[in-house]
Amino acid sequence: MQGKRVLITQSSLDRIGGSEVQALELARYLQSVGCIVTVYAWIVDDLVGSLFAQSGVRIITSNMVDSADLHMTDFDLIWVQHEVLPKTFFQQLEGLGSGPRPCVVFSHMSPYREVHLEQPYTYDLENRIADRIVFNSSGTLEAQQGYFSKDDSRLAIYPNPAPMSFVEKRHTIRPDLGRILIVSNHTPSELLRAVDSLKARGLMVDRLGDVTEQANSLTTPDLLDRYDCVVTIGKTVQYCLVQGIPVFIYDRFGGPGYLTAENYEQAARFNFSGRMEGSCPSLVDEINRRSIIDGPTLAAQILEGYTAACDFQTARHDEFIRRFAIDGAVDRVVGDMSARPESLTGIDKGYVDYLFRNSQMVEDYVRSNQLANNPRLAFYRQQIQLFRGKNRAFSIDDQTTLCESMHEENHLEIPAGDHSIFRIDFGELPCLITDLTVHAAAAAKVKVSSNASFENAGTLFFLSADPQLYIETDPPGREVSLTARVYPLDHVPPQPLAILTERIRRHQDSDRADLERWQRFRSQTLVALLIKIRRALRSAKTRKKKDDRS
């Protein structure tokens, strides 16, 4: 795969979820084996985008100028999630003809009809251009089989595989169960009661959110290796299987418990979701119909089945690696990444026009829905605006947009001009600004002010819905550079929040100390006498004014 050019597409990268993690792990793996990887998405959050950037993966969004320069023939492999393609590709589809073209893979990761983007929602798209169509399990394939011909040779399983780092971090099984990790985004109440029972028996039980620094932290081999058993569903099961950690499957759909020779294939059929039956499911129906095991019984199953689970894991470990390690899984799907000579059929202007309209409609819907459900993402879609003027009375004519959208970390260069003051608005919502630094060219003096509710040492706390920063230089009109970290008030990371809290505490302590000093000062006999004399003189002066008026 050395030197192969790969494009991975995804509707949004605004959180750590199933499809986002699959895109990230696939991108990292392909990059590690010598591919040149680009990721295309409609929406990208800075935090999630940074995970791709750390691996050297280029990210392009639909609203970036670079998206207009994407060409299908620039890539050897296009891995499509959520049926997302750059709109520039649609016109190119019509003109590909019989020349070389990339291998195109479409991926589906959910059988549930409520998860619309995981369905083949674009009429006949995959039938016309896909070389492979993959599903995360045979259960997902069965649920979507009606969209495809039963004898379609392109259909295959890509089993939500685990990165090689989990394979390489081989777990040493311990004979006694002492440490348990719960990995769940929606822990059912009976599992919480089981945790209480296990703790009462002296076991150490952690939940993933309590042992990771951030809510968006990825699960790592080092973290899992600290535990004797993991209670989870979904992707974390594959992590445990290839690493060699006994795994107990139970969550919002229920579950079979520890894997055994009798339940393993059926559990894998449903992507280790906890479901053990069904055909074309509704997510809501499956949650409502699950069989609930009471907490003490769950705790007993975790304790009593541990030894047998260790034996099963040890006996089948090599098989798990062959089936779920990402190197073999990728090779089975795209082992031959050579250009495809077959021409695409049925791609005419009418169909291309449909693709444009359909793609834009779905993108608009997803964008508005994601922003409504992700306040942090919506916050960073705000613009940074600059106003230049001769005084603090700015007009709309003085306004300039500095950035297409705001980021957590911002660096601005403001050129010199014919103005004596300018104002920077970091969006239109309350926020916290930290690490603010402002420098002017030619050693000019800089005066910075704001409408912040609290300000101290480069940290500004804005409670108003119109945060404003004023900057004046002496002499006026000089070039200015500015850096600042900006956070929405409801999503401030722990470290800057701790710093802000400490600064506010010190500020309050200082005010309290000043007040105590003043109270001690005014309680002195001479000072108290002077205060009384001053009040008496002020009162006499007031009475005289009243007498003069009368």
Side-chain angles (χ1 to χ4, degrees), residues 17 36 210 249 301 315 529 541:
I36 303 166
D210 299 329
I249 300 176
Q301 290 179 358
L529 177 61
K541 185 177 181 181

Side-chain angles (χ1 to χ4, degrees), residues 52-66:
F52 288 84
Q54 289 165 11
S55 300
V57 175
R58 181 190 182 198
I59 292 183
I60 297 178
T61 59
S62 57
N63 60 356
M64 291 173 59
V65 174
D66 291 351

Side-chain angles (χ1 to χ4, degrees), residues 224-433:
L224 296 184
D225 192 52
R226 289 157 43 186
Y227 297 91
D228 305 315
C229 164
V230 177
V231 181
T232 189
I233 59 170
K235 183 61 173 279
T236 311
V237 176
Q238 281 91 328
Y239 293 160
C240 293
L241 292 179
V242 301
Q243 192 170 350
I245 302 172
V247 58
F248 188 95
I249 300 176
Y250 192 90
D251 207 281
R252 60 177 174 171
F253 298 128
Y258 286 117
L259 292 174
T260 65
E262 290 72 31
N263 66 27
Y264 166 66
E265 287 297 341
Q266 186 72 350
R269 175 188 171 194
F270 294 109
N271 191 36
F272 304 112
S273 64
R275 291 177 52 232
M276 297 297 286
E277 58 183 17
S279 54
C280 186
S282 158
L283 179 60
V284 175
D285 290 347
E286 289 299 319
I287 293 174
N288 290 336
R289 80 178 205 175
R290 70 188 177 96
S291 299
I292 298 176
I293 304 174
D294 64 84
T297 301
L298 267 177
Q301 290 179 358
I302 293 171
L303 286 168
E304 295 165 5
Y306 176 69
T307 300
C310 293
D311 294 340
F312 179 75
Q313 172 65 61
T314 302
R316 305 285 283 269
H317 186 231
D318 290 342
E319 175 192 336
F320 297 152
I321 291 175
R322 287 193 298 271
R323 185 169 181 174
F324 297 114
I326 195 169
D327 58 349
V330 170
D331 187 62
R332 287 190 290 273
V333 174
V334 292
D336 178 12
M337 292 177 59
S338 58
R340 297 302 200 253
E342 303 91 346
S343 60
L344 300 176
T345 59
I347 310 291
D348 55 25
K349 185 178 185 305
Y351 187 65
V352 168
D353 290 343
Y354 158 73
L355 292 177
F356 269 109
R357 292 193 303 272
N358 184 72
S359 176
Q360 190 62 60
M361 176 184 67
V362 177
E363 178 181 346
D364 290 344
Y365 171 79
V366 169
R367 187 182 296 278
S368 61
N369 188 61
Q370 295 294 81
L371 292 179
N373 288 285
N374 189 333
R376 184 184 183 280
L377 186 65
F379 178 86
Y380 286 114
R381 287 300 176 271
Q382 298 183 99
Q383 294 179 332
I384 299 178
Q385 295 178 327
L386 168 70
F387 295 83
R388 309 171 194 261
K390 303 295 184 183
N391 52 52
R392 293 193 176 217
F394 297 98
S395 71
I396 195 67
D397 296 331
D398 301 319
Q399 179 183 4
T400 302
T401 299
L402 282 178
C403 301
E404 290 185 359
S405 60
M406 187 160 52
H407 301 277
E408 180 179 312
E409 186 170 350
N410 303 275
H411 180 79
L412 308 177
E413 295 290 342
I414 301 169
D418 183 21
H419 57 270
S420 58
I421 185 172
F422 57 84
R423 187 184 93 197
I424 297 175
D425 289 8
F426 289 93
E428 302 294 333
L429 293 171
C431 66
L432 170 66
I433 295 179

Side-chain angles (χ1 to χ4, degrees), residues 183-194:
V183 181
S184 171
N185 292 325
H186 21 64
T187 311
S189 57
E190 67 270 22
L191 184 53
L192 295 176
R193 288 191 288 271

Side-chain angles (χ1 to χ4, degrees), residues 101-161:
R101 62 177 182 82
C103 172
V104 182
V105 178
F106 282 80
S107 171
H108 300 278
M109 296 189 63
S110 175
Y112 307 116
R113 61 175 180 260
E114 294 93 341
V115 188
H116 307 294
L117 290 178
E118 292 291 355
Q119 313 295 317
Y121 61 84
T122 305
Y123 171 71
D124 216 27
L125 178 62
E126 297 181 40
N127 182 53
R128 299 190 191 200
I129 73 171
D131 295 293
R132 301 300 294 271
I133 303 170
V134 299
F135 306 85
N136 65 349
S137 68
S138 58
T140 301
L141 191 160
E142 292 163 10
Q144 298 189 15
Q145 181 70 71
Y147 293 102
F148 309 100
S149 170
K150 286 189 178 297
D151 58 355
D152 193 332
S153 61
R154 298 173 301 169
L155 308 184
I157 304 300
Y158 181 73
N160 213 358

